């Protein structure tokens, strides 16, 4: 008889083995951080020997770790008792180095945070935000626990207008989660539970946990407001962190200028991670994060039936379309992916029948928009996705010609991925919106000139990104900076694949998915939890608004014949500011652990606000 446990299903066993390998890889990363601290100066030889021996024992336990069933597993660190033991060793090392039981410190909110990170210096932390009423901004406080037990903490905000823990301030507990790419990320933002007079946070022994403090003022008096973040443990104060909240006299606009979308497909019962149970919560979440370009599947726009002359005989059913539009009453643009069909209602693409039937179909839906009290220009479509060769170009060109001839106000959208700058031109000339792939823009030298020429000829430019593994990507470089880049090229829109794409696996257990998810938040079957990636998209949209406000003010003053040094500075900043933010974007260098100046967007935004207040 062969030794060991019998395997009844090889495929299932391979899945369990792959799952266990990912978990072990994360545990080994955690242990390596502790080993590096053990090898660093600051310990006696006896301490180093004892701690190194414990590390070897843990390494052996990781190697012999029994299989873990993926079902019901949550990849939130610490994921297992063994990982908790690894972090307990990290805490023991910190104590041996003479470090305090609890340290509060500050880093930029977009910086990568490993579970074993600690402050580089003993500088006392402080938090600062400058903003307008009507927008949302956040800052963070890091908490590192070297004690042998988990730290159960209460955070309380004092001294700000509105009293303790004012209603415009919230706290989220940043969770470390494992990814399929063998590196944990600190991005998930579940709301911290209210407990007594503050917000409850747990910092496991040997880990650094981050508190995400978000502010959404609406009517605070302008000026600087000094407050304090009070950290309590077991009823005693363990830290007082100064907090400065500066409110501009300017009001942030209610309606976003940037067209923001992400192929959410929230029509019907949804797709990917969007379910009948979580759809309303996801829609509310996306709208709250400034998304104003929802996407629907082709199911919302049925074909109807046509006679031999191409006349509409039986009108399409509008029920699903109307239900979808009703869920997004304030959308700026309703986008439908019509799936790039090679024929429509039996007529082949490129034929006269095709053009006639699509034209009558376009007439119907444009009129239906008007019947709903909406302009036809608030409806758009995508036919053939990501065309990069002759067939895709020709398909999109024929669809666009038919729509343009019948209902030119309906937005003709394409997300091209050309490999050269010539064969795509006839297609582009038919389009309303060109939405190039930003990662290709950063690597294809001919993209800027090609698309700038198209913009000069009247096409609207957007950006989209659809690269992976998105979960290990930097919220700053991949998400927030895209909005700055859109402004720099005269763009009007920004999109990401995809707000709903969870790889059809619960996002709290990415190890069990066949590929990395793309959704910039954490989706469960019945709910959604925010994450830094989506918060970065939202802040990027707000940054775009700042730049637009300054651009509009400069145009207004110029039209009035005004001049002066501040106006000249504003013109310069509108050109140089985005370039400063984009300066580090050399190719697709999105990985979160790369050293970058992630505060530069805040700095430029502050300069924009200075000029807006003076002008």
């Amino acid at each position: 008889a062969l030794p060991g446990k019998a395997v009844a299903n090889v495929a299932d066993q391979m899945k369990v083995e792959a799952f266990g390998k990912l978990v072990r890889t994360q545990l080994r990363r955690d242990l390596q951080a502790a080993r590096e601290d053990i090898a660093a100066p600051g310990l006696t030889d006896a301490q180093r020997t004892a701690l190194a021996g414990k590390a070897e024992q843990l390494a052996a336990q990781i190697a012999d770790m029994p299989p873990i069933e993926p079902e019901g597993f949550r990849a939130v660190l610490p994921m297992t008792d063994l990982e908790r033991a690894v972090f307990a060793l990290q805490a023991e090392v910190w104590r041996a180095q003479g470090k305090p039981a609890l340290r509060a410190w500050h880093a930029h909110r977009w910086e990568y945070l490993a579970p074993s990170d600690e402050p580089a210096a003993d500088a006392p932390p402080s938090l600062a935000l400058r903003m307008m009423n009507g927008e949302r901004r956040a800052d963070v406080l890091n908490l590192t626990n070297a004690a042998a037990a988990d730290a159960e903490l209460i955070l309380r905000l004092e001294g700000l207008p509105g009293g303790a823990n004012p209603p415009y301030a919230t706290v989220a507990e940043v969770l470390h989660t494992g990814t399929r790419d063998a590196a944990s990320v600190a991005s998930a933002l579940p709301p911290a539970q209210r407990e007594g007079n503050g917000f409850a946070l747990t910092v496991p022994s040997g880990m650094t946990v981050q508190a995400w403090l978000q502010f959404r003022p609406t009517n605070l008096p302008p000026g600087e407001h000094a407050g304090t973040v009070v950290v309590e443990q077991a009823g005693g104060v363990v830290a007082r962190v100064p907090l400065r909240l500066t409110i501009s006299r300017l009001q942030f606009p209610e309606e976003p200028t940037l067209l923001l979308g992400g192929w959410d497909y929230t029509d019907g019962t949804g797709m990917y991670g969007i379910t009948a149970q979580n759809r309303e919560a996801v829609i509310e979440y996306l709208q709250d994060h400034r998304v104003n370009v929802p996407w629907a599947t082709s199911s919302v726009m049925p074909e109807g039936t046509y006679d031999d002359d191409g006349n509409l005989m039986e009108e399409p059913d509008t029920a699903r379309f109307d239900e979808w539009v009703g869920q997004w009453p304030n959308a700026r643009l309703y986008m439908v992916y019509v799936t790039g069909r090679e024929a429509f209602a039996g007529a082949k693409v490129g034929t006269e029948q095709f053009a006639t039937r699509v034209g009558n179909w376009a007439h119907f839906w444009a009129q239906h928009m008007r019947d709903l009290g909406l302009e036809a220009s608030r409806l758009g479509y995508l036919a053939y996705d990501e065309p990069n060769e002759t067939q895709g170009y020709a398909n999109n060109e024929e669809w666009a010609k038919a729509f343009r001839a019948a209902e030119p106000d309906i937005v003709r959208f394409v997300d091209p991925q050309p490999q050269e700058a010539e064969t795509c031109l006839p297609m582009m000339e038919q389009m309303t919106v060109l939405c190039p792939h930003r990662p290709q823009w950063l690597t294809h030298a001919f993209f800027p000139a090609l698309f700038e020429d198209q913009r000069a000829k009247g096409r609207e430019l957007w950006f989209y990104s659809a690269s992976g593994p998105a979960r290990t990507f930097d919220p700053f470089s991949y998400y927030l900076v895209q909005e700055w880049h859109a402004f720099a090229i005269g763009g009007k829109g920004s999109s990401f694949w995809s707000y709903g794409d969870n790889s059809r696996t619960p996002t709290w257990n990415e190890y069990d998915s066949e590929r990395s998810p793309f959704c910039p938040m954490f989706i469960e079957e019945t709910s959604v939890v925010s994450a830094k990636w989506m918060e970065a998209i939202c802040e990027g949209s707000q940054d775009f608004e700042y730049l637009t406000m300054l651009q509009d003010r400069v145009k207004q003053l110029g039209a009035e014949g005004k001049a002066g040094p501040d106006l000249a500075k504003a013109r310069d900043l509108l050109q140089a500011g985005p370039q400063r933010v984009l300066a580090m974007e050399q190719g697709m260098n999105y990985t979160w652990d790369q050293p970058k100046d992630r505060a530069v967007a805040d700095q430029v935004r502050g300069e924009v606000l200075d000029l807006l207040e003076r002008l």
Side-chain angles (χ1 to χ4, degrees), residues 20 25 84 91 114 134 158 179 214 221 250 273 294 300 312 425 544 576 611:
T25 300
R84 190 173 289 278
E158 294 183 346
T179 71
Q214 187 170 84
L250 302 178
V300 303
L312 184 61
L425 294 179
F544 187 96
L611 287 166

Side-chain angles (χ1 to χ4, degrees), residues 73-307:
F73 187 84
R74 281 172 62 89
V76 177
L77 278 59
M79 299 179 287
T80 65
D81 288 341
L82 182 53
E83 187 173 34
R84 190 173 289 278
V86 171
F87 287 131
L89 174 63
Q90 177 70 76
E92 187 176 355
V93 174
W94 284 337
R95 293 196 300 276
Q97 293 171 332
K99 292 171 180 174
L102 185 73
R103 285 171 284 172
W105 53 288
H106 182 259
H108 195 274
R109 64 192 178 284
W110 305 132
E111 289 293 338
Y112 179 76
L113 183 72
S116 59
D117 279 351
E118 52 183 327
D122 292 331
S126 63
L127 280 62
L129 299 97
R130 184 184 177 200
M131 59 196 303
M132 303 180 202
N133 279 311
E135 63 174 316
R136 60 198 290 164
R137 298 283 172 183
D139 206 346
V140 297
L141 179 64
N142 295 335
L143 299 156
T144 301
N145 181 17
D150 294 352
E152 304 292 342
L153 306 177
I154 299 294
L155 267 65
R156 187 173 67 255
L157 279 65
E158 294 183 346
L160 296 175
N165 306 314
Y168 53 84
T170 58
V171 177
E173 183 175 3
V174 183
L175 299 181
H176 298 267
T177 59
T179 71
R180 284 185 55 81
D181 299 277
S184 64
V185 292
S187 182
L189 299 172
Q193 296 298 314
R194 290 297 299 263
E195 187 171 311
N197 61 350
F199 301 89
L201 273 77
T202 298
V203 185
S205 173
M207 288 184 66
T208 292
V209 166
Q210 194 171 73
W212 178 271
L213 287 76
Q214 187 170 84
F215 297 83
R216 303 181 67 171
T218 56
N219 58 358
L220 290 186
E224 184 174 303
H225 306 285
T228 304
V229 181
V230 180
V231 183
E232 294 183 352
Q233 185 176 22
V237 175
V238 292
R240 291 184 179 274
V241 180
L243 167 64
R244 186 176 72 254
L245 177 62
T246 304
I247 301 297
S248 171
R249 61 178 174 79
L250 302 178
Q251 180 72 32
F252 196 71
E254 289 187 13
E255 295 297 324
T257 299
L258 182 72
L259 293 162
L260 183 62
W263 289 275
D264 50 285
Y265 297 140
T266 48
D267 59 297
T269 56
M271 286 184 64
Y272 294 103
I274 311 300
T275 67
Q277 293 78 26
N278 70 19
R279 187 174 68 120
E280 288 190 10
V282 170
I283 290 173
E284 181 180 355
Y285 172 83
L286 293 176
Q287 292 170 347
D288 186 54
H289 285 74
R290 300 175 65 83
V291 174
N292 54 12
V293 182
W295 279 81
T297 63
S298 59
S299 299
V300 303
M301 291 175 62
E303 293 179 350
T305 59
Y306 301 80
D307 63 19

Side-chain angles (χ1 to χ4, degrees), residues 258 479-487 494 496 536-537 540-541 544:
L258 182 72
Y479 293 103
L480 184 144
V481 169
Q482 178 163 298
E483 281 68 64
W484 287 81
H485 199 173
F487 183 88
S494 177
F496 295 89
I537 293 172
S541 172
F544 187 96

Side-chain angles (χ1 to χ4, degrees), residues 317-349:
D317 183 353
T318 64
R320 184 160 174 162
F321 185 94
D322 294 348
E323 193 270 346
W324 170 59
V325 170
Q327 291 278 1
W328 291 87
N330 299 315
R332 291 269 305 282
L333 181 61
Y334 298 93
M335 288 298 304
V336 181
Y337 177 36
V338 300
T339 66
R341 291 165 284 188
E342 296 299 326
F344 177 81
K348 188 176 180 180
V349 169

